[in-house]
Amino acid sequence: LKKLRDLAALDKEENLTPLGQHLVRMPVDARIGKMLVFGAMLGCLDTILSIAGSMSGRGVFVSPRDDQDKKTANSIRLALSKGSKSDHLASVAAYNQWIKAGEKGYGAQRRFCEENFISMQAMETVEASRVDYASALADLGFIPQDVLKFVKRRDRSGTQHPEARAVLYANESNSRIIKAVLCAGFYPNVVRVKHPEAKYVKTEGGAVLKEAAGHQLKMYAQDVGRVFLHPSSVNFHVGRYESNWLIYSERVQTGKVFVREVTMVPTYSLLLFGGSIEVLHQEKMVTVDNWVRFEAPGKIAVLFRELRAEVDKLLVEKIRQPQMDLFKAPAVDVMLKLLATDGI
């Protein structure tokens, strides 16, 4: 029940919320279901289908035993992440390249996996899961039935179809929106990053901020305190994050508590998809679940509370009218504008 409350599928009285009424009708894990719903609503479903598919079985990336191979595998993974500071988006890039390799046949896909330390079985699982998850959404009216055929195809012909383009690809190039959807599904799996004191180096053009080494950053979870990035993460050596907040897929404990599959998320995603919002007027701070803290005026808290309420109304209406197009709703347009800029 706690997991469902954390996902905003149950309220404090353990009644189903509007979101929860949709999730109980989906034959998938509630966390994945929530990401799928908001992925469709916010026009980045193709990417979210791939991320959800990568969570359905074994890991996308293979961990070699040889030390040199480990370095090579980590370099490949980092290149796939394209500076996104996201293990999840690295998995999406791996899947997209695997599909591209498939244009030259099954053998080319297998060679791609072998050369890049990627699991062929995991890729096939992602492909099958994408269709299953899209079918579940189509059954509930979150995507039109005729869009489903574009998910089943191994090409991007849906970009030429107006309805498919809107729900699958409209915001696939905006990583903030995609990361916000990840935040919706993974919250409260959140890590706070504490950067070391800023240091500057002199250059001909003036003083420049010196980026810290990855091990100089400290990371904390609300319930257990200090945590550490798993060495396999593309973020393991990152010395500076534009946002102080990360989400993670899972946590493992050996000698230390490690978080795996980590993505840096924008501030506004936590305000929209996190827990209870409170305003500390004297400190001019806004808090989420009395832990995540931001410097912001109280009106920001009011805005996000109202926006959450509008989203609930949309989801209630979606139950009454399954064919309703959420992507065209004014509240969704506001969400997209806020998430795309993150207040900048």
Side-chain angles (χ1 to χ4, degrees), residues 79-239:
L80 286 168
S81 72
K82 299 176 183 175
S84 63
K85 297 177 182 173
S86 171
D87 290 308
H88 300 95
L89 290 179
S91 294
V92 173
Y95 174 76
N96 289 341
Q97 290 191 23
W98 179 77
I99 287 294
K100 185 71 175 175
E103 294 175 3
K104 298 180 180 178
Y106 183 81
Q109 285 186 312
R110 184 165 289 282
R111 285 193 299 276
F112 169 78
C113 288
E114 291 171 353
E115 292 168 1
N116 293 282
F117 302 96
I118 290 168
S119 166
M120 182 73 174
Q121 182 181 340
M123 292 289 95
E124 291 171 338
T125 298
V126 172
E127 184 174 36
S129 297
R130 279 169 50 89
V131 175
D132 290 341
Y133 293 148
S135 298
L137 286 172
D139 289 343
L140 295 180
F142 279 98
I143 63 173
Q145 285 288 344
D146 62 346
V147 168
L148 191 56
K149 64 187 177 187
F150 295 107
V151 177
K152 294 178 179 179
R153 292 177 184 172
R154 283 189 157 204
D155 58 34
R156 290 173 58 84
S157 56
T159 57
Q160 307 304 315
H161 184 280
E163 285 187 320
R165 185 170 60 247
V167 71
L168 294 174
Y169 309 113
N171 293 303
E172 66 174 352
S173 62
N174 193 312
S175 64
R176 285 177 177 156
I177 292 173
I178 294 166
K179 289 175 178 181
V181 175
L182 290 178
C183 184
F186 286 114
Y187 191 89
N189 291 7
V190 177
V191 167
R192 177 172 61 85
V193 180
K194 183 179 180 181
H195 290 84
E197 185 177 345
K199 294 182 179 179
Y200 294 85
V201 293
K202 291 183 179 179
T203 68
E204 291 182 2
V208 176
L209 178 66
K210 181 182 179 182
E211 185 170 307
H215 69 270
Q216 294 177 299
L217 277 62
K218 293 184 178 180
M219 302 186 182
Y220 301 89
Q222 185 177 17
D223 55 345
V224 298
R226 186 82 185 271
V227 297
F228 299 83
L229 291 185
H230 194 273
S232 64
S233 173
V234 300
N235 296 318
F236 187 66
H237 294 291
V238 171

Side-chain angles (χ1 to χ4, degrees), residues 31 51 54-55 57-61 77 86-88 91 182 186 189 229-230 232-235 246-251 258-263:
R31 184 171 65 175
I51 293 171
S54 72
M55 296 164 56
R58 64 187 299 171
V60 167
F61 297 101
R77 205 175 302 186
S86 171
D87 290 308
H88 300 95
S91 294
L182 290 178
F186 286 114
N189 291 7
L229 291 185
H230 194 273
S232 64
S233 173
V234 300
N235 296 318
L246 314 175
I247 54 92
Y248 61 89
S249 294
E250 64 173 337
R251 203 164 67 190
F258 290 98
V259 288
R260 298 176 62 103
E261 296 177 4
V262 175
T263 290

